[in-house]
Each structure stands twice: as C-alpha cells, then as structure tokens.
Amino acid sequence: MIDISESVMQFLLAFIVVAPLIGAVAALLPAPPGLKGKSPDQAVLRHGVTVTGVILIAVIVLALGFDHGHPSKMQATTDIQWIPALNVHIHLGIDGISLPLLVLTALLTFLCALYSYFKMPAGPSPKAFVALLLVLESGTLATFAVLDLVLFFLAFEMVLIPMYFLIARWGGDQRAAAAWKFILYTLLGSVVMLLGLLLVGLKSGTFDMVALATDNGRGLTTSVQVIAVLAIGIGLAVKTPMFPLHSWLPDAHTAAPTVGSVLLAGVLLKMGTYGFVRIVLPIAPHGMHTFAPYLAAFAVAGIIYGSLACLALAKQGNKGDLKRLIAYSSVGHMGFVLLGISSMTPTGVNGALFANIAHGLITGLLFFLVGALKDRYGTADLDTLAGATGAALYGRAPRLGGLLAFAAVASLGLPGLAGFWGEMLAMFGAFDPAAGLSRPAYLTFVAIAAFGTLLTAAYLLVVVRRVCMGGKPAEEPRLADIQGYEFAAWSPLVALTVLAGLWPAVLLGLTDPAVQKLLAGGKS
C-alpha cells in the first residue's frame, strides 16, 4: 500500500462525494467545440465515462492509502459544523466496513457509463441520462461515507429521484407504473426511517454516528431503542428489500434499462443492509436484540419465497421474464445478508458484508448478461429464449453462454467463487447467535436457509439448461458473441468474483476488525 497524508485522504474522500455532482452539472452544459467528437450525444456519453473513471481512480488511490493495519479506525475524516442549532455536522470518514462498498459503487458506475457509451438505452437525450447517473453515484458514495444521521438520510434519499427517472424515461414496458411503485414504496419507508433517526438524535443529543456507536445505546432507554429500531428498520428493510416489503423490486428491475438494473441490484440494495450494520446494530443494540429473531424470520421467509418465485418463473410455459427472475433471486440473496446481521455475531455480520459485495458483483454481471440477451433476441421472456428445444446458447454464442453459466453457478454459491463465503458465514453466525437470542429458533432458521440454497441451485440450473443447452435447429443463425465493449464492462466483475472466492481474506481482513469494534461498542 502507499503512504498518503491524512489531509490528502480527506480531500480524496470529499472529492469522490462532490465530484459526480459537478460532473452532472457539466453534463447538462453545451460541450466545448473541441470536445464534441462526431456528435454532442457522443461527447456527453464520453464525459460520463471520463467523470466516473476519474472517481474510480480516486477511490482506488483512497483504498491504497487506507491504513490496512487499522481497518477499525475511522480514516480520511472531515468534521465541519453545518447546522449548529441541531448539532448537525458534515462528517465524513471510512473504515473497513464502508471502503469495499465505495470501491464497488465506483466500479459499477464506471462500468455502466462505459457500457452506455457503446449501448445507450433507448430514450430521451443522453445529457439527462449521464447527469442522472452521476447524481445517483454521488448519493450512493455519500451514503457510505457520511457519519451523521441527518446527512445519511439526505444521501439515502438523494438516489431515489435519479433512479425514478432512469426507470420512467429509459425503461421498457410498464416503466411508468414500475417507477411510481419504486418511488412510493421507498419514500413511505424513508418517512418512517426519518422519524426513527430524529428520535435517536434528539434523545441522545447528537446525530454523530461515531459518538452514538461508541455510546452503544447507553444514552437511550430500552423503549426508545425498540421504537427507533422499528422505525429505522422499516425504512432500511424497504430498500434492502426484505420480504414482504419487496414487491416494488421485481417491477422496477423488469422495467429498468440494463444499467439501471445493474446499479439498483449492485449498489442501491446495499444501502439498506449497510444502514442496519452502521446504525441499528451499534446505536440501538437492545432494540436490535428485541427484533433480531423477527428479522431472521422475515429473512428466511424471503429466501424461500424468492427461490419459489424463481422456480415458478423458470418453469416451461409460464412466460417468465429472466430479468424478473434475477430480481426475485435478489430477495433470496439479501435474505442471507439479513440473517447474518440478525445473528448479532462477528461471524454473521462479516458474512452479511461479504455477501453484500458478492451479490453486487454477481448480480451486476447477471443483469448485464440478460441485457445483452434481450438486445440479441428482442426479449427476456424465458419461453422465447428457450424455444422449442432449448436456446443452445453454447452453440449460437459460446462465450456469452459460458459467461451466463459462470454467473449462474457463482450466484448459487459454488465454492471457490464469491457467492459461497458470504452465505456460509451468515449461516455459521446464525448457527450460534449472540447471547440472549434463542438458539433453537436460530437453528430452525439455519435449516430453512440451507433448504433455500438447494432451491437456489435448482432454479439457476433450470435457467442454464433451458437457455444455454439444447439442440440448435439448422436454420437458426449464430448470434453475435461477446463484443469488445461488453468484454471490457464485464471482465472486471468476473475477475473480482473469482478473486473474492479464492482469497476471501482480502475482504474479511478489512471488515472483521471494524465489525468487532462496532459490536463491542466502539472499543477495538
């Protein structure tokens, strides 16, 4: 790693939060004459690639300058008083929990901008598209970097409007209804969450997340903690999405453009689970203890429900949409994340954070691949893709078929790939939950979750069999295989999925000390 002074680290963290907003404003301005290229549309798309590329480089430099010997310590911190009357500060900082999420966000946004440069979704002017993409990036990066409850809420809300417009203006069929459902569900959840955050801040006298985590709930009565966890948890659960508050997700994914689905699954869902780890666990531990078994019950219900929904969609003759199937799979995968968090143990929370990153990489890749299939076939309908004898994607576009099979086995948790470790550690954590939680109940939850892994394998293997295998009729032409720009956008996700699977210590070495400190009430 490289030695960077604290002031440069502070600047880098502030830069990666603010720069996308400046880039978004610049995207709406006319392109300078020398940068127009073949057309203004091409110029603004190139601007999107450039800005997201610069942000990614800044995040990588920040990660290299991060003190990996002390990942539990808040680094690159900035603390400026903003609203004195409410004691609200512009407080930024990163530790081993937030750093991987910053890298994932910057990487996926850059890959989406690169993909859009070559394959812009059908819709209005690219100017607005690029500006919205950059505002979305800024809000997501801010969510993972801020250490003040009010700022967290503002950043959490900031991503809703750009995602609404990305679905409503550049989406597919039923996009208006899906966008409205997305915004209404998440806004209603956010209103309840705001009340919980204000309750914590006003009762404790501070909105500072580090101070609150160090206090570890000692300044809040048990009844205040219970109410706060219920209110904050509902808002976070909608964004996660937790069963049964998930019903906005399949519609939003099905209607969203490819890059919208990648960012929604890869980054936005992580904001909810991150909130549970950063806010609910350390700030209101007694309240979390009360609700943990219920959270676990909803988590495993989501695992089974998501898997059964996917099996129904994958069945021949059901006209299942492949994008919708992957959206339902996210409900199941995020169920494992919530199960790990509900165990309130270092093993379970580390597993949840690992599964978060793995899901972002693998499901991001899956949505890219389904978008490519939809471009080639004109539909994501599974019955159409499978045809009468199977789509024989291996024969028609062997690299594309092979990559789809790779993403599917990574998603089902094959050992040696990223999807395996998070789910296994989440179940290990739930197998021996924190003191005071009912072990028999959690053993039941683990058994149900383990059955869910079998169902997950079943529906993903059905998809691979139907889409990739089968006899290719002689009259069917070969499909265009993976293009250069697709290879550039997807290969980092493949490489990181393999790296995280073979070398999990890269992630766990960052998260574990920070999680231990968080659960111990701010003591390393």
Side-chain angles (χ1 to χ4, degrees), residues 272-284:
T273 49
Y274 173 79
F276 275 108
V277 175
R278 177 66 76 203
I279 297 172
V280 179
L281 267 177
I283 292 175

Side-chain angles (χ1 to χ4, degrees), residues 153-384:
F153 177 76
L154 294 175
F156 198 84
E157 294 304 284
M158 186 175 157
V159 302
L160 300 185
I161 301 304
M163 183 51 77
Y164 167 81
F165 281 111
L166 284 173
I167 297 170
R169 303 299 299 278
W170 287 272
D173 299 336
Q174 307 293 318
R175 59 181 183 265
W180 270 110
K181 198 170 183 180
F182 163 75
I183 200 87
L184 288 175
Y185 260 79
T186 46
L187 277 178
L188 283 171
S190 297
V191 169
V192 182
M193 184 175 82
L194 177 62
L195 296 175
L197 295 173
L198 290 174
L199 176 67
V200 169
L202 296 174
K203 287 289 184 182
S204 62
T206 180
F207 290 99
D208 188 279
M209 287 153 69
V210 177
L212 286 164
T214 306
D215 190 54
N216 205 218
R218 286 183 285 272
L220 300 170
T221 64
T222 302
S223 56
V224 167
Q225 288 191 38
V226 168
I227 295 166
V229 170
L230 181 61
I232 297 168
I234 287 172
L236 297 172
V238 170
K239 189 68 83 64
T240 297
M242 182 184 81
F243 174 86
L245 303 173
H246 68 283
S247 61
W248 60 269
L249 184 76
D251 291 343
H253 269 312
T254 307
T258 297
V259 293
S261 291
V262 170
L263 291 174
L264 185 56
V267 180
L268 263 68
L269 304 190
K270 313 301 172 274
M271 293 163 66
T273 49
Y274 173 79
F276 275 108
V277 175
R278 177 66 76 203
I279 297 172
V280 179
L281 267 177
I283 292 175
H286 296 300
M288 181 66 186
H289 201 280
T290 303
F291 283 108
Y294 303 102
L295 182 63
F298 283 123
V300 295
I303 292 169
I304 299 299
Y305 171 80
S307 301
L308 291 175
C310 290
L311 273 172
L313 288 168
K315 193 175 177 186
Q316 192 169 353
N318 280 5
K319 291 284 176 188
D321 186 285
L322 191 49
K323 282 187 83 173
R324 196 173 189 85
L325 184 145
I326 295 168
Y328 273 112
S329 80
S330 291
V331 177
H333 287 305
M334 298 315 283
F336 282 101
V337 176
L338 290 171
L339 178 64
I341 293 168
S342 76
S343 73
M344 298 183 71
T345 62
T347 305
V349 177
N350 275 307
L353 293 169
F354 197 102
N356 248 353
I357 301 296
H359 179 265
L361 296 171
I362 297 165
T363 308
L365 178 59
L366 276 168
F367 275 118
F368 269 136
L369 290 166
V370 176
L373 280 177
K374 196 170 182 179
D375 290 337
R376 287 158 171 77
Y377 282 93
T379 180
D381 176 72
L382 258 172
D383 286 344
T384 308

